[in-house]
Amino acid sequence: MNALIPAADFPRIAPSILSADFARLGEEVRAIEAAGAALVHFDVMDNHYVPNLTIGPLVCEAIRPHVKIGIDVHLMVEPVDALIPLFAKAGANLITFHPEASRHVDRTLQLIRDHGCKAGLALNPATPLAWMDHVMDRLDIVLLMSVNPGFGGQQFIPSTLAKLREARRRIDAHTAAGGQPIWLEVDGGVKTGNIGQIAAAGADTFVAGSAVFGSPDADGGYHRVMHELRRAARAN
């Protein structure tokens, strides 16, 4: 079973390998783990649900031996169900998908859990939080997109902050009523200059792609930028 490997305390930083150097991907994921990354964020795009084509289960399987931290697979694909067993077998620990891409959201969440992974919904900027309401008991994570999915390096959409605050309110009400913990992740345009605001709005898990991989240390590591992201998140 691919139970999620325990991650670091707040803030959880999940560098997206979409911005990594694919010619040295093993080195890149080892470097972010050494710098304190909580998760490896793995963006899967199909040139159908989103206008880009990226990576599949074979790449996930290839990087799995290089890190002990969890692999956070974000499926931007339609349909989703056929890929879930493949990514679970390839070493994913956490799988999120977009509800618009599933005919039966509850069933897809259960399918992820049946394959030993943590399960979550990914919500686009214009996708309402109401998708959460009837499946809260099956959620381990909610991923709010703060850019429109499909490309890295986009600017953070400011209206995400209000949506984060409302998502945090719903999650806190659920846990206060005896429900399971649910992580609140944000993905898109996260950087040192805005991660504090994002954390203050309620996020506890932060996907950062170009902000991390675009700022390597002189030795090729990422200790400096990861330290700056953690410090900025904790400052608010």
Side-chain angles (χ1 to χ4, degrees), residues 15-86:
S16 169
I17 62 170
L18 187 63
S19 298
D21 180 353
F22 273 63
R24 44 187 293 270
L25 199 49
E27 297 172 48
E28 292 276 64
V29 296
R30 292 196 301 271
I32 60 171
E33 180 177 45
L39 299 161
V40 176
H41 190 77
F42 199 93
D43 287 304
V44 183
M45 306 181 191
D46 66 352
N47 196 34
H48 176 67
Y49 180 73
V50 292
N52 203 350
L53 183 65
T54 57
I55 45 183
L58 289 177
V59 178
C60 183
E61 184 178 17
I63 67 171
R64 178 70 278 175
H66 290 270
V67 290
K68 293 183 174 66
I69 55 176
I71 296 178
D72 171 21
V73 173
H74 175 196
L75 294 178
M76 288 168 273
V77 302
E78 184 180 9
V80 299
D81 288 2
L83 283 175
I84 287 165
L86 300 179

Side-chain angles (χ1 to χ4, degrees), residues 150-192:
F151 300 95
Q154 299 183 65
Q155 295 298 308
F156 182 87
I157 296 174
S159 61
T160 306
L161 294 173
K163 193 174 183 181
L164 273 167
R165 286 189 284 270
E166 175 57 20
R168 170 52 58 197
R169 185 194 68 78
R170 295 184 188 208
I171 289 170
D172 288 349
H174 173 73
T175 54
Q180 79 286 0
I182 300 172
W183 291 1
L184 182 54
E185 185 174 38
V186 65
D187 181 359
V190 176
K191 52 190 177 182
T192 55

Side-chain angles (χ1 to χ4, degrees), residues 103-224:
R103 288 185 178 272
H104 303 284
V105 171
D106 182 85
R107 183 182 298 165
T108 300
L109 288 167
Q110 188 58 47
L111 178 65
I112 294 170
R113 289 179 155 217
D114 287 346
H115 282 83
C117 296
K118 301 293 186 179
L121 293 181
L123 304 178
N124 289 329
T127 301
L129 292 175
W131 281 104
M132 299 166 54
D133 291 345
H134 301 290
V135 293
M136 291 286 277
D137 61 330
R138 296 198 188 278
L139 294 175
D140 298 295
I141 188 167
V142 173
L143 167 59
L144 295 191
M145 293 298 297
S146 45
V147 298
N148 287 296
F151 300 95
Q154 299 183 65
Q155 295 298 308
F156 182 87
I157 296 174
S159 61
T160 306
L161 294 173
K163 193 174 183 181
L164 273 167
R165 286 189 284 270
E166 175 57 20
R168 170 52 58 197
R169 185 194 68 78
R170 295 184 188 208
I171 289 170
D172 288 349
H174 173 73
T175 54
Q180 79 286 0
I182 300 172
W183 291 1
L184 182 54
E185 185 174 38
V186 65
D187 181 359
V190 176
K191 52 190 177 182
T192 55
N194 63 14
I195 194 172
Q197 286 181 293
I198 297 167
D204 51 45
T205 307
F206 307 85
V207 178
S210 55
V212 172
F213 290 107
S215 302
D217 300 334
D219 63 0
Y222 297 100
H223 288 83
R224 179 189 54 80

